[in-house]
Amino acid sequence: MNAPFAARGTATVLPQPYLLFLGDTTEPGFAKTAFGLRDWAGEKCVGEYACGATVSTGLPRLTPAEAVAKGARGLVIGVANPGGVIPPSWRTSLVEALEAGLDIVSGMHVRLADIPEVAEAAALLGRQLIDIRVPPADIPVATGRKRSGKRLLTVGTDCALGKKYTALAIARAFEARGIDADFRATGQTGIMIAGGGMPMDAVISDFEAGAAEVLSPDGAPEHWDVIEGQGSLAHPAYAAVSLGLLHGSQPDVFVVCHEPGRTAMLGTAGYTVATIEEIIDLTTALGRRTNPNIRCGGVSFNSSALDEAEAAALMEAESNRLGLPVADPVRGGPAFDALVESCLA
Amino acid sequence: MNAPFAARGTATVLPQPYLLFLGDTTEPGFAKTAFGLRDWAGEKCVGEYACGATVSTGLPRLTPAEAVAKGARGLVIGVANPGGVIPPSWRTSLVEALEAGLDIVSGMHVRLADIPEVAEAAALLGRQLIDIRVPPADIPVATGRKRSGKRLLTVGTDCALGKKYTALAIARAFEARGIDADFRATGQTGIMIAGGGMPMDAVISDFEAGAAEVLSPDGAPEHWDVIEGQGSLAHPAYAAVSLGLLHGSQPDVFVVCHEPGRTAMLGTAGYTVATIEEIIDLTTALGRRTNPNIRCGGVSFNSSALDEAEAAALMEAESNRLGLPVADPVRGGPAFDALVESCLA
């Protein structure tokens, strides 16, 4: 896992350890970058820093100077709001981090170098501003050519409900079974964790499927690329990203990620979360265009709002209803083993 | 029709009349920009110019100097190859056009200003280099909010088979019936014809649906936006563009564009053109997410490869088979009237 991204990818080397910046975020769904780094690269995170945020990673809250004293080298913007903007209210904190000795790593759409105060401070102090969301310049148009090796893609009934987490857990589970596998990152957090990948939502639409083809090149026949999904085919803003990634990934297997109890689709007004069956049907109907053998391997639940017994009962009922394995990768256990085996079947 | 594009659009003023440049193109499907300008803005085109092309618009073949003598002010790059590149073999011709006194208008992905010989000649001579494929900088993320007014979107079983042509013809037919309508352009040729629009395939994927929302803002209850489609939901390279446009357009009615006899999908190897029924099913399943009332108004055939009797017989048979009006807007007649009435029903 986490092999260096070959050839045309964004092989960025990031300044670690990190201090995680939460801004003034009050919506936990928007802090998935920080949560992902805590969970999957925790040994690289010394603490968190905020300017009004009510969400927390549970890591020590440190000033930039305190973080530097603990060895931090980079401030990572750990939140992703709609549109990927950096609001003016964050700027003082970013400059403070630069002054304390930290480089800044951002996965936002807005480039750090386009914020005058930040750009000037970085230039004056000799700090790096690293925008990992800037895609490589030479992405080709997709060809649709079938590539060798095996591929799994996580998809979702909404944004921000566990597609990256599920892909990381499945890639680890494959490796634990002795199967050669790479986690392929498609968003800012995944790229920060993996050290490489393709920022799919920042790619120009005409090249979206081509970018997914570049992300998971030809592999050995028994090798698996486990690809982090993006958005949802049912999301009114982000479905274009999801479809380009699906077509270009040519997955043999997909896993539907869902959060029981979530009703409203993130970042929209008046849209309900899609059903699992809708996503299975859309993914199969569209995905078979580039891989006629596409199949659903199962369902991944983000059941963090439920207690152990509630979650187990719900997953068993949903598994019986759908005729597919249903598991929460955070909880693991036999249900998750069954999901992993189903993907490999 | 062709009202100036309001607010956040690319309200470019183009230098007219045009000389149409065909480069060294041998594939008629790639010359749709030139054909579209000939057909829909013919009074603005003095002739064509090439450096090895075997395709022709039928307009007089002129040197840039001859075109300037006939009043031309702009050389329009009239071809669009996969990826939108300007090959080195065209550069001498482009510089010759600048030297003769023409500005250059391009809809390619590559920016004219990024080609050193062209940029230097333009700077030296004081000519304009206009890249109409550069989208506006302030496109928002889509909200999915239902907008007022009515919308029609053309969709396709492949690229380059009549989606723009069909939208232009339907917008004209609506106006001929006294209905207030705007043609909304989404590609380089349409934008050149309309004088404004949104270059959908050049928009960053995360903003694709948002760009379509900007393109057709709230309208009067009885007003129609007739929106030019892009790509195909079944195309392995371009489906992301098609889905973002579909979600953001929120069409009440869609018309499926198809070329009878075409078997291989353009720009791919091993992919067949989608069936009309597949495109109806995919468009309905995906489009109802942002407009639950979406319906297929009928089918538009590009029947240029058939003679009159063959085309009429095929369209009648297909209309009976599908239970929908089928017409070729180039041929017009009662079949096209029936298609227009079905869209308005």
Side-chain angles (χ1 to χ4, degrees):
Chain A
M1 204 166 88
N2 298 354
F5 184 70
R8 289 174 290 188
T10 55
T12 307
V13 177
L14 300 177
Q16 296 170 330
Y18 299 140
L19 175 65
L20 304 179
F21 183 61
L22 298 167
D24 51 2
T25 303
T26 57
E27 165 57 56
F30 294 155
K32 60 179 179 171
T33 303
F35 294 135
L37 285 171
R38 176 200 63 193
D39 294 336
W40 293 94
E43 76 286 2
K44 300 170 188 167
C45 303
V46 303
E48 68 175 34
Y49 174 50
C51 57
T54 56
V55 301
S56 173
T57 61
L59 294 171
R61 197 159 280 206
L62 305 175
T63 65
E66 290 167 344
V68 169
K70 286 178 178 280
R73 293 181 51 231
L75 180 86
V76 173
I77 296 181
V79 287
N81 50 27
V85 300
I86 293 177
S89 58
W90 297 4
R91 293 178 188 172
T92 304
S93 303
L94 298 180
V95 171
E96 186 183 335
L98 293 168
E99 289 172 345
L102 297 170
D103 295 329
I104 300 179
V105 178
S106 168
M108 312 297 274
H109 270 306
V110 170
R111 297 190 193 199
L112 291 165
D114 290 342
I115 304 171
E117 302 97 297
V118 173
E120 286 162 23
L124 192 70
L125 297 160
R127 306 274 181 265
Q128 292 187 84
L129 301 176
I130 303 171
D131 290 294
I132 59 165
R133 210 164 182 167
V134 177
D138 58 350
I139 300 170
V141 169
T143 65
R145 180 183 66 80
K146 184 80 176 79
R147 302 189 299 287
S148 56
K150 297 179 179 175
R151 286 168 188 81
L152 182 150
L153 175 68
T154 54
V155 302
T157 57
D158 193 3
C159 304
L161 43 60
K163 291 186 289 292
K164 175 186 71 275
Y165 206 105
T166 299
L168 283 162
I170 290 175
R172 279 195 184 170
F174 281 9
E175 293 194 315
R177 284 163 174 73
I179 293 160
D180 191 21
D182 280 300
F183 167 68
R184 296 296 188 183
T186 60
Q188 55 267 42
T189 307
I191 294 169
M192 288 174 189
I193 293 168
M198 182 65 73
M200 290 299 295
D201 60 1
V203 172
I204 288 174
S205 301
D206 228 10
F207 301 95
E208 186 70 358
E213 292 188 350
V214 167
L215 175 66
S216 72
D218 283 300
E222 299 304 315
H223 175 274
W224 282 85
D225 272 344
V226 181
I227 304 163
E228 175 193 4
Q230 287 293 327
S232 169
L233 288 170
H235 197 290
Y238 305 121
V241 178
S242 308
L243 181 53
L245 179 57
L246 172 61
H247 272 169
S249 294
Q250 309 176 344
D252 303 284
V253 174
F254 65 92
V255 172
V256 179
C257 301
H258 180 69
E259 182 180 324
R262 187 190 295 192
T263 52
M265 197 158 237
L266 202 67
T268 69
Y271 284 86
T272 54
V273 169
T275 66
I276 295 166
E277 298 92 312
E278 281 175 311
I279 296 302
I280 291 174
D281 290 349
L282 288 174
T283 304
T284 306
L286 292 158
R288 66 182 165 218
R289 187 71 182 164
T290 58
N291 188 341
N293 298 319
I294 189 170
R295 66 181 175 88
C296 181
V299 178
S300 174
F301 270 15
N302 178 342
S303 67
S304 53
L306 306 178
D307 70 27
E308 184 77 32
E310 286 173 333
L314 179 64
M315 290 193 285
E316 188 181 345
E318 285 291 277
S319 179
N320 290 334
R321 185 177 71 82
L322 296 163
L324 289 166
V326 178
D328 184 332
V330 175
R331 297 181 191 272
F336 185 60
D337 289 342
L339 173 59
V340 171
E341 295 301 330
S342 167
C343 293
L344 292 169
Chain B
M1 204 165 87
N2 298 355
F5 183 71
R8 289 173 290 187
T10 55
T12 307
V13 177
L14 300 177
Q16 296 170 331
Y18 299 141
L19 175 64
L20 304 179
F21 183 62
L22 298 167
D24 51 2
T25 303
T26 57
E27 165 59 54
F30 294 155
K32 60 179 180 173
T33 303
F35 295 135
L37 284 170
R38 175 199 64 193
D39 294 336
W40 294 94
E43 75 286 2
K44 300 169 188 167
C45 302
V46 303
E48 68 176 34
Y49 175 50
C51 57
T54 56
V55 302
S56 173
T57 62
L59 295 171
R61 198 159 278 207
L62 305 176
T63 65
E66 289 167 345
V68 169
K70 286 179 177 280
R73 293 181 52 231
L75 180 86
V76 173
I77 296 180
V79 287
N81 50 29
V85 300
I86 294 177
S89 57
W90 296 4
R91 293 179 188 173
T92 304
S93 303
L94 297 180
V95 171
E96 185 183 335
L98 292 168
E99 289 172 344
L102 297 170
D103 295 330
I104 301 179
V105 178
S106 169
M108 313 296 274
H109 270 306
V110 169
R111 297 191 192 197
L112 292 165
D114 289 341
I115 304 170
E117 303 97 297
V118 173
E120 285 162 23
L124 192 71
L125 296 159
R127 307 275 181 264
Q128 293 186 83
L129 300 177
I130 303 170
D131 289 294
I132 59 166
R133 209 163 183 167
V134 177
D138 58 350
I139 301 170
V141 169
T143 65
R145 181 183 66 80
K146 183 80 176 80
R147 303 188 299 285
S148 57
K150 297 178 180 176
R151 286 168 188 83
L152 182 150
L153 175 68
T154 55
V155 301
T157 56
D158 193 3
C159 304
L161 43 59
K163 289 185 290 289
K164 176 186 71 274
Y165 206 104
T166 299
L168 282 161
I170 290 174
R172 279 196 184 170
F174 280 9
E175 293 194 315
R177 284 164 174 74
I179 293 160
D180 190 20
D182 279 301
F183 167 68
R184 296 296 188 183
T186 60
Q188 55 267 41
T189 308
I191 294 169
M192 288 176 189
I193 293 168
M198 182 64 74
M200 290 298 296
D201 60 1
V203 173
I204 289 174
S205 302
D206 228 11
F207 301 94
E208 186 70 359
E213 292 187 350
V214 167
L215 176 67
S216 71
D218 284 298
E222 300 304 315
H223 175 274
W224 282 84
D225 272 343
V226 182
I227 304 163
E228 175 192 4
Q230 287 294 326
S232 169
L233 288 171
H235 198 290
Y238 305 122
V241 178
S242 307
L243 181 53
L245 180 56
L246 173 61
H247 272 170
S249 294
Q250 309 177 343
D252 304 283
V253 174
F254 66 92
V255 172
V256 179
C257 301
H258 180 70
E259 182 180 324
R262 187 190 294 191
T263 53
M265 198 157 237
L266 202 67
T268 69
Y271 284 86
T272 54
V273 169
T275 67
I276 295 165
E277 298 92 312
E278 281 175 312
I279 296 301
I280 291 173
D281 289 348
L282 287 175
T283 304
T284 305
L286 292 159
R288 67 181 166 218
R289 187 71 183 162
T290 59
N291 188 338
N293 298 318
I294 190 171
R295 67 183 175 88
C296 181
V299 179
S300 174
F301 269 17
N302 177 342
S303 68
S304 52
L306 306 177
D307 71 26
E308 184 76 33
E310 286 172 332
L314 178 64
M315 290 193 286
E316 189 180 345
E318 284 290 278
S319 179
N320 290 334
R321 185 177 71 82
L322 295 163
L324 289 166
V326 178
D328 183 332
V330 176
R331 297 181 191 273
F336 185 61
D337 289 341
L339 173 58
V340 171
E341 294 301 329
S342 167
C343 293
L344 292 169

